[in-house]
Amino acid sequence: MILELATQAGLTAVIPLLAALLLAAVKRSDIAAWINIAASTAAFLLACRLPWLQGAGELLLVDPLATHLAILTAFVGMTTAWFSRVYVAIELAEGRLDAWRLRQYHALFQAFLGAMLLALLSNNLGVTWVAMEAATIAAVVVVGLPRTENAVEASWKFFVLCGVGIALALFGTIVLYLAALPVLGPGLSAMSWTGLARAIPQAPGALLNLAFVFLLIGYGTKAALAPLHAWMPDAHAEGPTPMSAVLSGSILNVALAVILRLRGLMASNPEAIAPGPPIMALGLLSLLLAAFSLWRRRDVKRFFAFSTIEHQGLRPSPSASAARRRCSPGCCTSRCIR
């Protein structure tokens, strides 16, 4: 299973994680900036190969949903890394960052990017949860790096709210595993997306409903769906500008991808509640809240934060309206991942 990380698909996530370890030891900011750029560019180039690497393994799942979002996430990471080279130099010159915090920034940027790519490409709901938690911790630290009062407050709000959300998601993950256990038995297959797609149609509806509620609230918090969005505007406004870009272009998409896969699972069981209405309700609420919050908004970063929440509200609607189709959580092929 671990050998899958040495494949082209696995290296898409592994390279940023290895770069994070390397950057933690690099003291020169100019060298660190170029390593950050090189690792992000390598991850993007590998992600562009994913459409030709479709398949499911024990650890990795490369399907159209994961491929699309992995390419998008890697592209945002690469472009943001290039922008960061100029941005951090200005922050360093003006005294808003020092050498030690700059070193943390580069290492945590790659840790965040690698964790997001791993969460997208993972075929294990537990690994997805761990990767999301790791990305959250990295993002929380980066948001607080300016060390201003507002930045520290935003960082703590981010940590507390998303920490509660990810804890609820963990409980939902455990309940979903218990629902699949009678069909698949103990083991990793009961935690894999491909295994769950086979087991959920025969699973008890009551357990599925309980898991769905906790997973929707937990990952809905990370997806910044209203009314679970309160961390988003402050994290956008007070953290470094590159982090605002990667928050919008990666962590929200990854959380939403989990919700969409969960929707596919729930739709395959006739005893489970229809996943479409609650997902659509959160989407419409996010859209309305963002629309009113954007009115007369003057802070450009908060403006973009609420614009992101508005887009998050639009994305679940088409899939939620089709939630009763009998579909699997991903379009997996029978080929093994190369």
Side-chain angles (χ1 to χ4, degrees):
M1 181 178 70
I2 300 298
L3 293 178
E4 290 182 38
L5 295 176
T7 63
Q8 292 184 47
L11 288 174
T12 306
V14 169
I15 285 178
L17 295 175
L18 293 177
L21 296 176
L22 176 61
L23 286 166
V26 175
K27 295 182 179 180
R28 288 187 54 180
S29 60
D30 55 340
I31 295 176
W34 283 111
I35 294 175
N36 194 22
I37 290 171
S40 300
T41 303
F44 173 67
L45 293 176
L46 285 169
C48 289
R49 286 276 301 147
L50 293 177
W52 294 272
L53 302 173
Q54 301 287 292
E58 291 185 16
L59 181 62
L60 300 180
L61 170 61
V62 184
D63 62 0
L65 176 62
T67 298
H68 173 78
L69 291 178
I71 293 174
L72 176 62
T73 298
F75 177 75
V76 172
M78 179 186 68
T79 53
T80 307
W82 279 97
F83 172 72
S84 293
R85 179 174 173 269
V86 178
Y87 174 83
V88 297
I90 295 173
E91 295 290 290
L92 189 62
E94 296 185 358
R96 288 192 288 266
L97 289 177
D98 56 29
W100 168 241
R101 280 181 279 167
L102 188 56
R103 190 169 162 188
Q104 294 179 63
Y105 171 84
H106 287 303
L108 290 170
F109 183 95
Q110 286 300 313
F112 177 87
L113 179 60
M116 287 294 90
L117 290 169
L118 180 60
L120 283 170
L121 297 172
S122 170
N123 191 23
N124 186 290
L125 189 55
V127 174
T128 298
W129 183 89
V130 171
M132 287 286 288
E133 179 68 6
T136 299
I137 293 172
V140 163
V141 177
V142 174
V143 167
L145 282 181
R147 294 295 190 271
T148 63
E149 182 179 348
N150 289 336
V152 172
E153 180 183 347
S155 180
W156 272 108
K157 183 183 291 187
F158 187 3
F159 176 74
V160 172
L161 294 180
C162 285
V164 171
I166 206 70
L168 295 175
L170 175 61
F171 183 77
T173 301
I174 295 171
V175 175
L176 192 61
Y177 172 78
L178 293 175
L181 203 58
V183 180
L184 297 175
L188 293 177
S189 62
M191 290 286 285
S192 68
W193 290 113
T194 49
L196 289 170
R198 298 192 306 270
I200 292 306
Q202 308 169 55
L207 277 180
L208 286 181
N209 294 340
L210 183 62
F212 174 72
V213 170
F214 279 95
L215 286 167
L216 180 60
I217 295 174
Y219 285 109
T221 303
K222 301 302 274 289
L225 293 174
L228 312 168
H229 68 287
W231 62 271
M232 181 68 172
D234 287 342
H236 252 277
E238 304 302 336
T241 300
M243 182 51 60
S244 299
V246 293
L247 282 176
S248 294
S250 57
I251 195 168
L252 304 186
N253 293 337
V254 175
L256 189 60
V258 175
I259 293 174
L260 293 180
R261 291 192 187 278
L262 180 64
R263 184 269 302 169
L265 293 176
M266 295 293 294
S268 68
N269 189 303
E271 296 180 6
I273 59 174
I279 294 175
M280 186 173 287
L282 291 179
L284 290 175
L285 182 59
S286 302
L287 181 61
L288 289 172
L289 181 140
F292 285 107
S293 299
L294 286 168
W295 185 57
R296 297 177 64 86
R297 184 67 56 183
R298 293 292 180 264
D299 186 309
V300 65
K301 293 176 76 174
R302 289 185 183 273
F303 183 92
F304 282 123
F306 282 106
S307 177
T308 299
I309 294 171
E310 179 189 19
H311 292 156
Q312 288 295 100
L314 288 171
R315 291 183 206 181
S317 300
S319 61
S321 63
R324 270 297 167 189
R325 291 182 302 172
R326 298 300 181 204
C327 55
S328 67
C331 301
C332 308
T333 67
S334 58
R335 291 184 297 150
C336 295
I337 296 175
R338 292 190 290 272

